[in-house]
Amino acid sequence: MRRWDFVAAYLQGDLETNEVVYCHAPPGYATLGADGRPRICRVKKPVYGMAQAGRRWQRSLFPWLLQFGFTQCKSDPCVFTMTRTISGVEHRLVLGCYVDDLFTLYSHEGVGSL
């Protein structure tokens, strides 16, 4: 079993086309405009702390896994499997996604394995 933590994974997703999100200006930026009203910023990419950030990351990752040849588990949509026969030996890879971590289980290790 192996585990990968994707650094800045949430920044890899995209907001929905019709999704508009605003936030307060980050520390170090002027919080008031010239008119004295509070400044807000429009968010263009998901960031840590947004309720939608994890889902947007999944919407980027899951289609890539399916295109790569994984099959999504019907009972848990965050689990994917891939089975390949290499030199007459069946190799099985199970991949689980939790937040921004990936966990892999595989039946063989070494040269010629998945």
Side-chain angles (χ1 to χ4, degrees):
M1 181 171 138
R2 295 199 183 183
R3 176 187 164 272
W4 287 274
D5 179 27
F6 282 85
V7 178
Y10 286 1
L11 302 177
Q12 304 306 316
D14 292 310
L15 295 175
E16 297 288 321
T17 305
N18 59 348
E19 188 173 25
V20 179
V21 178
Y22 294 97
C23 69
H24 293 284
Y29 286 86
T31 56
L32 296 177
D35 58 0
R37 295 174 54 197
R39 284 191 177 196
I40 58 172
C41 300
R42 183 171 180 183
V43 178
K44 293 188 174 189
K45 298 284 280 183
V47 293
Y48 285 94
M50 285 178 56
Q52 311 91 313
R55 181 69 182 126
R56 299 303 171 253
W57 158 240
Q58 288 180 347
R59 292 187 108 166
S60 297
L61 175 66
F62 288 8
W64 183 88
L65 291 171
L66 294 170
Q67 185 178 10
F68 193 72
F70 281 90
T71 301
Q72 195 168 22
C73 182
K74 288 181 173 58
S75 60
D76 187 341
C78 293
V79 175
F80 295 81
T81 60
M82 178 188 285
T83 304
R84 296 284 187 267
T85 302
I86 302 171
S87 301
V89 178
E90 187 176 87
H91 295 258
R92 185 167 292 130
L93 176 64
V94 178
L95 187 142
C97 178
Y98 179 74
V99 187
D100 62 349
D101 297 321
L102 288 181
F103 300 89
T104 57
L105 300 165
Y106 43 95
S107 57
H108 295 81
E109 187 173 357
V111 178
S113 68
L114 291 175

